[in-house]
Amino acid sequence: MRIAATADLHFSPQSYDRLREPLSHVRDEADVLVLAGDLTNYGKPEEMESLLNALVRLRIPTIAVLGNHDYESGRHEELIKMMSLEGIKILDGSSYERDGVGFAGTKGFLGGFGRGVLTAFGEPEVKAFVQASIDEAMKLERALSLLRAEKRVVIVHYAPIADTVRGEPPEISPYLGTARLAEVADRHGCNLIIHGHAHHGAPEGKTTGGIPVYNVALPILLSQTPPAVYRVFDV
Ligand SMILES: [Fe+2]
Ligand SMILES: [Fe+2]
């Protein structure tokens, strides 16, 4: 299966203008399209409506997770409904199998990497924050444990490893993702992990267990030579 992946479209009619032409070829190059979150800028149904108008024209099976921007207006459930009605498969702690390939996805959360992973200690506010991070990791765990397919792809919005946020200011690295997501993937096994969110991070890295991780945030794809609007993976 050929999987075209992109993330962080932050859709606006103006920004989509330069993506329209290159994205129109995706159907010739891939069997499915993966969108790894931040589909909209402010999580407004109007934004989603315009994006969906553009996406249906691509006529390719699409699998997506939401990103933090899609939560901004508190209307994410409405967005999920709108996308489902157009046949887009939204993964939110859930899994999906297609042509022998299993996809497990969730938004993920922040919380840091390595020795910097924040732990639930002290104030209730810190504990609540850490719990949100653990909850997303557990959602991914549940999604992965439901998959029976041998080939598995994990889709998250937040970064699961520090390697693919490198290039961003180090001060904000704990806010770009959490290693808790990678730990789950390592425990259950998968062929690759796709994420976005770190717009100025690095395009690829590996988990400690050796799983390849790809950051397909649109600004990274566009900054490559030649510039691209998605990256294709063979699974
Ligand atoms: Fe983003
Ligand atoms: Fe994001």
Side-chain angles (χ1 to χ4, degrees):
M1 178 186 276
R2 298 163 305 164
I3 301 165
T6 187
D8 301 277
L9 298 182
H10 292 266
F11 182 87
S12 75
Q14 303 85 303
S15 69
Y16 194 78
D17 265 345
R18 64 172 178 168
L19 309 181
R20 194 179 316 274
E21 206 281 319
L23 259 181
S24 69
H25 304 297
V26 67
R27 196 164 169 265
D28 305 323
E29 291 188 46
D31 306 301
V32 295
L33 174 65
V34 163
L35 302 171
D38 281 359
L39 311 167
T40 63
N41 244 334
Y42 301 105
K44 292 185 180 152
E46 306 88 83
E47 294 174 300
M48 182 53 78
E49 202 176 316
S50 315
L51 171 62
L52 287 173
N53 275 331
L55 289 179
V56 290
R57 296 209 171 101
L58 302 179
R59 291 183 298 132
I60 182 168
T62 302
I63 305 166
V65 298
L66 294 185
N68 54 318
H69 278 250
D70 305 312
Y71 275 71
E72 170 59 17
S73 299
R75 298 178 75 176
H76 48 277
E77 279 171 17
E78 220 172 314
L79 303 189
I80 289 174
K81 212 171 273 172
M82 291 170 74
M83 296 175 83
S84 305
L85 282 173
E86 291 298 342
I88 293 176
K89 189 75 205 167
I90 307 288
L91 300 180
D92 180 23
S94 47
S95 58
Y96 172 60
E97 290 196 20
R98 188 183 176 93
D99 301 332
V101 178
F103 296 86
T106 196
K107 172 179 63 66
F109 200 65
L110 40 158
F113 306 95
R115 288 181 57 210
V117 172
L118 190 64
T119 51
F121 184 88
E123 300 91 322
E125 291 84 355
V126 173
K127 288 176 178 160
F129 179 90
V130 171
Q131 192 56 49
S133 200
I134 293 171
D135 287 348
E136 280 295 315
M138 283 174 67
K139 277 164 75 178
L140 181 60
E141 180 130 42
R142 191 176 57 219
L144 269 167
S145 66
L146 288 171
L147 283 180
R148 291 290 158 262
E150 229 170 85
K151 294 175 179 177
R152 300 139 161 253
V153 177
V154 163
I155 311 166
V156 283
H157 177 60
Y158 285 89
I161 58 169
D163 280 0
T164 49
V165 307
R166 224 151 263 144
E168 295 274 6
E171 297 88 339
I172 66 166
S173 125
Y175 309 131
L176 295 174
T178 176
R180 290 184 200 275
L181 299 166
E183 283 164 22
V184 170
D186 276 338
R187 212 159 38 240
H188 287 263
C190 65
N191 296 61
L192 69 147
I193 307 176
I194 293 166
H195 75 91
H197 189 57
H199 291 203
H200 305 289
E204 49 193 82
K206 265 188 171 44
T207 64
T208 34
I211 299 169
V213 178
Y214 300 97
N215 179 356
V216 294
L218 185 62
I220 294 179
L221 299 176
L222 286 171
S223 71
Q224 285 170 356
T225 27
V229 295
Y230 52 81
R231 183 167 176 177
V232 180
F233 304 95
D234 255 305
V235 176

